[in-house]
Amino acid sequence: MTRIEVSLKKLEDRSYSIFVGHRCLAELERILSELELKGSVFIVTDDNTNELWARKIKKHLEHISECVKTISIPPGEEQKSLRTIEKLARKLINMEADRTSTLVAVGGGVIGDITGFLASIFLRGVAFINIPTTLLAQVDSSVGGKTGVDLVEGKNLVGTFYQPRLVFTDVDFLSTLPREEFLNGMAEVIKYGIIMDYDFFEFLEANVEKILGRDPDVLVKTVSHCCKLKRNVVEDDEKESGLRRILNFGHTIAHSVESASNYRVKHGWAVAVGMVAATLIAVGREIIEPDDARRIETLIGRFGLPVSLPENLSSELIINGLSFDKKRRKGVLHWVLPRKIGSVEVVTGITRGEIKNAIEKLQGKSL
Ligand code: ADP
Ligand code: ZN
């Protein structure tokens, strides 16, 4: 038998920068020219973000490439499918994209996830630039390199880890974002404070009105700080083996609430309730002081996010849904519970009774 070693140890540097600013579109040309992109540029966007922002962005991109084209798809999570990937890939071929082409996502998490995935597999990988336009995408999905689409069996079940060459965020994009979509991202913002940064949590407490009023300076501080915090986690744990798990705070129950409601409950809403549920479990175990728990619930509520569950979502349905969480490892559910504001621990062995107790407290009653 002949043994042939295929040695692939050469580490590739996939470092990139995230730029965060306000009314900074004019700087896009200069920033992009540093990347020395050579070929044609394809903007992938949805019909809303195309009208609102991608047209403007296209004008700036035309300064760095002679060939800039836009592909716009309908908005909505339903688009996050393999069917869309195939359609877009065929469109790109028909529009003469080649290996030197760059895909630029202009939109929320849906567009970012689809475009990143497509860039990672189209012609075995082309350059990807992400221009996130929702708060959720700016603080969460655009950092960390996760891409992918949904299957009927569940969300994000097919995808890749693929880093963008650049993330460009202008908080001005958030000026057109509906309140509901804005709050969707706020849940993740609050999450960062609870899991890893007490001072940031205090900053949020002091700036609720300014954030809700979308004060650009406060938004730049908020978004860039969240990107730094997520960057720190991702740098240490790119492929999600340990530390990155803390980002899952509030998500164990959130995923179940989302699917139990047939995705009528938005992700951020589910995360808000999930964070309160995890906090209640921590109170029950005397892991966290009740005063800290109340502060967590109060901040979530002050932003207009839910701190209770509708009665019609039964605790049974939510608990049964937990077993389908893809983050479950070897049959064990890992719970991220707050120890105090700014610090969490990962716990296993939470009983059905404890979960039921927390969910029932969430149905109508407060902490
Ligand atoms: P998420 O980042 O929450 O995954 P989606 O990509 O699903 O977001 O976008 C949510 C909705 O918000 C979509 O209908 C999208 O077209 C719309 N949208 C995205 N960015 C903006 C914006 N800056 N202004 C207004 N609407 C936007
Ligand atoms: Zn999330």
Side-chain angles (χ1 to χ4, degrees):
M1 196 185 269
T2 313
R3 173 169 169 174
I4 300 155
E5 289 296 334
V6 181
S7 173
L8 296 168
K9 284 196 187 126
K10 202 180 102 199
L11 280 180
E12 196 197 340
D13 185 0
R14 285 164 288 105
S15 309
Y16 63 95
S17 302
I18 302 168
F19 289 87
V20 182
H22 175 232
R23 300 230 169 116
C24 49
L25 266 185
E27 290 180 59
L28 189 56
E29 287 110 276
R30 181 183 56 78
I31 291 169
L32 280 176
S33 59
E34 284 174 19
L35 294 180
E36 295 176 354
L37 302 167
K38 290 182 184 75
S40 47
V41 171
F42 292 87
I43 297 173
V44 181
T45 186
D46 72 33
D47 298 340
N48 298 330
T49 43
N50 189 23
E51 287 295 322
L52 291 164
W53 298 105
R55 284 181 206 277
K56 288 192 190 86
I57 291 168
K58 185 168 186 273
K59 298 225 159 50
H60 291 278
L61 294 176
E62 278 161 353
H63 292 119
I64 61 137
S65 171
E66 279 166 20
C67 177
V68 184
K69 290 176 184 156
T70 302
I71 306 176
S72 183
I73 63 173
E77 181 81 23
E78 317 78 71
Q79 297 301 318
K80 261 182 78 169
S81 68
L82 287 167
R83 184 188 293 260
T84 304
I85 296 294
E86 185 184 0
K87 270 194 204 157
L88 291 173
R90 293 184 59 195
K91 234 181 197 155
L92 285 173
I93 292 293
N94 289 317
M95 290 164 101
E96 291 171 354
D98 61 26
R99 294 186 71 177
T100 66
S101 299
T102 299
L103 303 193
V104 181
V106 177
V110 168
I111 290 296
D113 285 1
I114 291 174
T115 313
F117 183 40
L118 182 61
S120 73
I121 58 174
F122 182 70
L123 302 176
R124 301 206 171 80
V126 293
F128 169 48
I129 286 168
N130 201 352
I131 308 190
T133 62
T134 63
L135 183 59
L136 185 67
Q138 294 184 347
V139 300
D140 184 21
S141 52
S142 68
V143 192
K146 280 192 189 177
T147 81
V149 295
D150 305 337
L151 297 180
V152 176
E153 284 75 9
K155 285 173 97 180
N156 299 316
L157 291 179
V158 177
T160 53
F161 281 101
Y162 193 64
Q163 303 299 342
R165 298 287 304 277
L166 174 89
V167 179
F168 185 90
T169 285
D170 190 330
V171 296
D172 201 23
F173 300 147
L174 306 179
S175 63
T176 57
L177 197 63
R179 181 184 151 87
E180 216 183 45
E181 294 297 340
F182 185 79
L183 293 184
N184 203 26
M186 267 324 290
E188 304 284 353
V189 171
I190 299 167
K191 181 189 79 177
Y192 288 115
I194 301 170
I195 63 172
M196 61 194 299
D197 193 335
Y198 178 82
D199 292 344
F200 183 56
F201 188 92
E202 274 198 324
F203 168 84
L204 295 175
E205 286 182 321
N207 286 287
V208 174
E209 285 73 27
K210 283 190 178 156
I211 291 172
L212 288 175
R214 307 201 197 169
D215 176 302
D217 294 334
V218 176
L219 285 182
V220 169
K221 277 195 193 132
T222 304
V223 172
S224 57
H225 196 73
C226 291
C227 290
K228 277 184 204 154
L229 291 174
K230 185 156 181 192
R231 186 268 320 265
N232 294 347
V233 174
V234 169
E235 267 182 356
D236 279 358
D237 183 14
E238 188 188 342
K239 299 274 166 78
E240 190 161 333
S241 45
L243 179 64
R244 198 160 169 169
R245 206 180 265 156
I246 68 170
L247 297 172
N248 228 26
F249 174 57
H251 284 60
T252 311
I253 283 191
H255 290 144
S256 185
V257 167
E258 283 178 276
S259 74
S261 75
N262 278 325
Y263 293 93
R264 274 189 293 273
V265 175
K266 286 186 92 55
H267 182 66
W269 262 252
V271 169
V273 179
M275 293 193 294
V276 181
T279 305
L280 281 169
I281 294 173
V283 172
R285 292 206 154 202
E286 297 183 359
I287 288 174
I288 191 171
E289 294 289 333
D291 279 354
D292 273 356
R294 263 188 289 276
R295 250 176 103 180
I296 291 173
E297 188 202 7
T298 303
L299 185 64
I300 294 170
R302 281 179 68 201
F303 276 104
L305 284 161
V307 290
S308 63
L309 270 171
E311 303 276 352
N312 59 1
L313 279 182
S314 80
S315 56
E316 284 301 306
L317 198 61
I318 297 170
I319 293 171
N320 291 340
L322 291 173
S323 54
F324 295 106
D325 191 321
K326 84 169 152 51
K327 299 274 159 63
R328 218 170 76 133
R329 268 158 227 259
K330 297 194 185 104
V332 180
L333 262 182
H334 287 81
W335 290 82
V336 184
L337 302 183
R339 209 184 281 145
K340 56 185 185 201
I341 292 164
S343 163
V344 286
E345 59 188 77
V346 180
V347 177
T348 56
I350 301 286
T351 64
R352 210 181 161 89
E354 287 178 278
I355 305 167
K356 193 163 188 284
N357 205 356
I359 293 173
E360 283 170 0
K361 273 194 188 141
L362 274 171
Q363 280 165 330
K365 290 176 222 149
S366 75
L367 284 170

